Amino acid sequence: MLRIGIVGAGGMGTVHYNNFLHLNDCQVVGIVTRSQSGRAKAVAWGVPAFGSIAELAAAVDPDVVDVCTPTFCHKQDVLESLSLGKNTIVEKPCALHEADARQMFDLAREKGVHLYVAQVLQFSREIEVLRTLVEQKTYGEPLDAVFQRLSARPDWAQGGWLFDREKSGLVPFDLHIHDLDVIASLFGAPEESVCYPCGGQAGGFRELYRWEYRCGQVNVMAEAGWLNASIPFTCPWRVYFERAMVIFDGQTVTAYPHGADPVVYDTEDPVKIPTGINVPPTGWYYRELGHFLACIRKNEDSPLVPRDRVLAVLHILEQAV
């Protein structure tokens, strides 16, 4: 039975807690929170609340510390957890600087524990399908890809911290990091990267970014934005292979092979867990956290979110902000 301490009882802490309830052989034994609302959640969940990771470790000795605090707290929280010799999960982005992430991974290695970065898109059914098509060369080699991730401005962010470059990394680190991690995992880390940002006077930050990447023989275009427009969230992609175009329209993955009928892939989640926030029930976090716990039991790093790719992605994003 793996004993888990969650750091942060906000939106993502709630998501992770609800998913741990459905995973076998694990138990949440404590919450680290610095807010009254967080302490109230701990009471509702029936777990003790602590003011620091050190207090958590001393009182309940968790096997795993799961850091779900805002981005600007990640470095301090992760380093504290690792320094105590705890296997650590951290929400993306693990850091806003490549050097900080290197420090985290180096400390994990020094302490003989593991650091897992929660790049949840790797555990979505549509990316699982795309990864299989690329690895098995079902339609030949990939040649070109386009990824898009757009939303209205996240004005819901408590205290507006998402709009502070030093706290969130803005659009590149909070939004585009999902697609860049997938791009690097499928086609290799980009050897060439060009970024074209834009933004109006109202936002006070770059609102829309467009990237052009060269990954080996694959051309990739990606865009991400927090727009000053009331648009619904959208995250489609398409990949052109030697013998087909594969399109995800936000709901369905469909391949259009040359000279053949379209193929619709099953991307329905076999398990859907309520998140506890304004995100529909999904299996993404269930598979992600289950994967990390399985890696901990095997005493190994994650093959789906490896250290070198985390660092390569952060290196590229640092150049964009």
Side-chain angles (χ1 to χ4, degrees), residues 245-262:
M245 176 72 86
V246 179
I247 298 175
F248 174 63
D249 62 6
Q251 298 292 328
T252 305
V253 176
T254 306
Y256 297 89
H258 175 69
D261 292 335

Side-chain angles (χ1 to χ4, degrees), residues 101-102 105-106 109 115 301-302 305-312:
R102 285 187 182 277
F105 281 108
D106 288 348
R109 183 177 299 163
L115 175 63
D301 293 328
S302 168
V305 192
R307 170 187 182 276
D308 288 349
R309 193 174 76 235
V310 170
L311 297 177

Side-chain angles (χ1 to χ4, degrees), residues 24 27 38 99 119 140 152 159 176 185 206 217 239-240 279 299:
N24 294 326
Q27 178 184 9
Q119 291 286 168
H176 178 56
S185 72
R206 299 295 194 180
Q217 298 303 308
V239 178
Y240 179 50
V279 174
N299 192 29

Side-chain angles (χ1 to χ4, degrees), residues 9-10 13 28 36 45 75 104 116 137 153 169 256 271 275 286:
V28 176
Q36 184 174 349
W45 295 344
K75 179 182 178 181
M104 295 175 185
Y116 303 100
K137 297 180 170 51
R153 288 168 50 102
Y256 297 89
V271 177
T275 62
Y286 176 81

Side-chain angles (χ1 to χ4, degrees), residues 200-226:
Q201 296 298 317
F205 60 89
R206 299 295 194 180
E207 300 160 9
L208 179 64
Y209 288 73
R210 184 169 291 113
W211 283 267
E212 294 178 1
Y213 295 122
R214 182 72 172 173
C215 306
Q217 298 303 308
V218 183
N219 295 321
V220 183
M221 193 278 282
E223 62 178 2
W226 290 335

Side-chain angles (χ1 to χ4, degrees), residues 36-79:
Q36 184 174 349
S37 61
R39 289 190 289 273
K41 279 189 181 178
V43 171
W45 295 344
V47 295
F50 302 96
S52 70
I53 297 173
E55 291 176 16
L56 168 81
V60 296
D61 191 25
D63 304 296
V64 187
V65 171
D66 181 15
V67 175
C68 298
T69 49
T71 300
F72 60 91
C73 300
H74 287 179
K75 179 182 178 181
Q76 175 184 336
D77 291 338
V78 168
L79 291 178

